[in-house]
Amino acid sequence: MSPEVEAPLRRWLFDGRLRHYQADALERVDASGPGPLHIVAPPGSGKTLLGLLLAMRRGTRTLVLAPTITIRDQWAAEARRLAPEAGAVSTTSEAPGELTALTYQSLSVLDGGNPLAALAHERWLRELEADGRSTDAASAWLDALRSGNHRAYAAGIARRSRTLRRRIAQEDPGALSRALHPNARALIERLVDHGVDTVVLDECHHLLDHWALVVAALVARLRDAGRSPLVVGLTATLPSPDDGNAYDNYTSLLGEVDYEVPIPAVVREGNLAPYREYVRFVEPTTDELAFLSGAATGLAVLIRSTFAHGDGAAHLIGMLQPPAEAKAGADAEGDAETPGPALSPPPPASSARAAPNDADIRLAQAFADDFAGAEAAAAMLATVHPDHPLVARLPTAARRKPTTEESLRLLGRFALDRVLPDPAARDRWDRIRSALADFGFSLTDRGLRRTRDPIDTMLASSLTKDRAVCDILRLERDRMGTRLRALVVSDFSEHGNRHGGLVSRAGALRTFDVLTTDAATADLRGALVTGSTTRIATRHAGSLAEAWAAALGVEVATAAVAENPAVTEISAPGVGAAGFVRAAATLLSRGQLDVVVGTRGLFGEGWDCPAVNTLIDLSSVATAPATQQLRGRALRLDPDWPEKVAHIWTVTALLPPSSPIDAAPDLSRLRRKQARLWGVHRDDPRRIVRGLAGALTAEQRRLLAPGSLPSADELDSLTVVEPRELSRASWQIGTGYLDRESTETVIVRRAADPTFRTRRRADAVLGAGTATAGIVAAAALALMVAGVVGAVGVAGVAAGAVALTGAVAAGAPVARAWWRSRRAHAEAPELYRRIARTVVAALQRAGRIGDRATPEVIVERPTDAGGFQHLELRLTHATLAEQHVFAGAMSELLGPIRTPRFLLQVDAGGRSPLVRWLLKRARVGSGARGGGGGQGRSQFLAVPASFGMAGGRLRSFAEDWQRTVGPCTLHFVDSPEALALLAEARRGGAVAGDLAVIERWD
């Protein structure tokens, strides 16, 4: 604590009963130290009281900052219950109290004009490197832009300077203080003079941008005044490291988490309502699908016209034929970090191709420098210029149609390399940028970034989502009757497809219109509350107008909505949106409303209505803070229904299986939303898990795996809404818990199928080789015995000895390989145990996990009636972060092939030349016979990126695999020839069985 600072909050008194985790937090964190304190706890878990108790323990004058006036007022109300007199608490910056509650908006920052051009240039270089360029290529491109189009260069430097200016709090707090608005500086000085020594930051996940910097300036000023202020950060969920520099601002202010209260613990103790997550799937309307098909056609025309001639075609050639001399310096540096050709013998050159020359050398260099970019350029060149001489030098696997993603990336790179550096091509640059924006990509001077495309926009705002709301409410009303209290949340009150779609109006307004006119929900008493309007159904206007007037405390006026007579608008003099939001909570609690439709800005955070028992999420924001906060609206305990169980629905739109468009942005959004949410496992109610397993059944997740094309009806038919009492029982409220998180890999496989498709073929050929060697050895031994008894001469004995020696020398390695593989593959748990040990050893060599980490394979469920086996792969004696690394590596190794730098070919190679020959002959023979069901294909695995790039470590991984699992060959994916291997690996797919990474809580 700061020396000689008053401690008036020590007079405050709390005489209530603490929850277990509140008491535990107060025991574990030290409020008397310098801090900061960083506490994560879900909505409804008592964060406000915990923050106040920490401030009371500290005792000094306290400043509380909150994101909204509503939350600020909640802090003030709670504080007044603890203070000896109400005047000790203030909500005004002009007259601070013993505890002063303000909003973050009370402070503001004014951009300064600091000279940050050099740092901005360095930042730009890093961005270009992250987009796939080498350091030299990025530097050369920037130099060319500066000299060729200085206006574009200066604009890019100015943009990055503004971003960097926000980070000066980490390096020069004094500079930031000078950049503050005079009003903010005056407020800070008043707080310093008042003796503030504790700063509580509520919902601190908002501190990602200028708010974090202003708070940092305040703390720096308190320190300048000789204090050691305690900063307490409270949030329901952590922001994501993906937020980049903004996340750095946050962590530099609050540091690591000191205490976290998981939602399951709060539910288990009975302080939050138990809940179940459900998903409703829909497909766009016929008109919406027609619009999407037109957008896809327009994109194809744009891309083909760009690369079919002129500098577009020259750009493709340039990507595939880089200057040969540019490779010299890179090779010398890269040899220490990449395994090079020693990992596996180079593939034989095809007789159909020309002998290697300069074009081949440069083509190989292009793939080595940027494999993904060269692969895309090769596919595009083969498509738009199939007769170009360079196409003949490409592997067959490269002569394919590029994917949409590859095409757009190529277009962005072309615009950066060929268009932006030319000042005379400004109009063309703008046309390309505009066209790409229509397809969901933002083109800037740092590369191409995905934004919202018409497919995403259309699916997110599809009319069928509003109809699904009606279906969900009908289902819930049929089960709950008059107890139904629902909240439907959309992103905006009104929005549409910005790129010219057929949806003229979407959002909360349209949702409410559909709700009031649909036969299934027309009798529900609903209300629409947005920042600009409040509406009710005209059929309920009489009774609800009186109810609103009573809740608001003023008379209300009603007026029919011109464009929809079924809807009536309500207004009240002097009452703003905040008043209507509070009144909506009152009316829901009283049972005078059944459903409220609103926007995320009003209802997504800080709105409390314990009566809400059904939440329907139509929002398109998938960040962890927003998702957690929104769900918190349904989890408050309801004093009028002690047995409350909340149902939380997410509505997700999919394209139908017949659609020619390959995209699933709304499904991707669903995955991101669920990624950080805890819930009861859909198939195993004994478990509390994170992710899709808490919302979808195993069969639904299987249907949604890459490559599958399920219909919405097919998925919805698998959704079973269980009775609420069963959901409540699954949470085991009132029972003990370990409060432990863990991460494991779960594999569900058909017990009769081999894990690797090549296993039976390899087993057969190695077994035959072993048997042949045994027969030869036995015959040789018989010949030698015959010589001993005189049946044959000395020559026969010598021949037998030679034959025996040869059989043993050749057959022993084959027998060892066969026996080792047989042991490894005899039982699936043993195979996965060996694979896991090999992966752990590789991760330990790479320094990613500790030496004590030990893999464990558990047969979670024996083979069931359907012939399926359930295995769990865990990492013991490891931190949660190490468990994540291990699970990610197993998932990458055994999952679908994407774009790895290294491939492991299993049941191939081997230490003995004879083993290698036998396995190769088996592959050739199986391929010639067709090998139905994919049996003729080789099995490839992606070497996890977490192993690193060092050649020695990767060779050790391959040797471990060969020793414990079976023969293998390691391939470096860095050449045109490797493209054929990659294509074969992708066709082969993942190993047999469904694999999922599960985070669980016990």
Side-chain angles (χ1 to χ4, degrees), residues 475-484 613-614 641 724:
L475 183 151
E476 294 286 2
R477 192 257 315 273
D478 290 347
R479 290 170 173 263
M480 301 189 67
T482 58
R483 181 165 275 164
L484 175 65
N613 50 47
T614 301
W641 186 21
R724 276 176 158 84

Side-chain angles (χ1 to χ4, degrees), residues 280-301:
R280 174 78 174 189
F281 293 97
V282 298
E283 294 174 0
T285 65
T286 302
D287 288 343
E288 290 168 348
L289 287 172
F291 164 74
L292 293 177
S293 296
T297 300
L299 175 61
V301 170

Side-chain angles (χ1 to χ4, degrees), residues 48 66-76 202-203 605-607:
T48 301
T68 67
I69 292 175
T70 299
I71 298 176
R72 178 204 68 184
D73 291 345
Q74 290 171 359
W75 273 88
D202 192 24
E203 307 297 358
E605 182 175 345
W607 181 74

Side-chain angles (χ1 to χ4, degrees), residues 740-756:
R740 179 185 64 195
E741 293 183 34
S742 60
T743 301
E744 58 196 34
T745 305
V746 177
I747 297 170
V748 181
R749 60 181 301 278
R750 193 176 293 277
D753 294 342
T755 300
F756 301 140

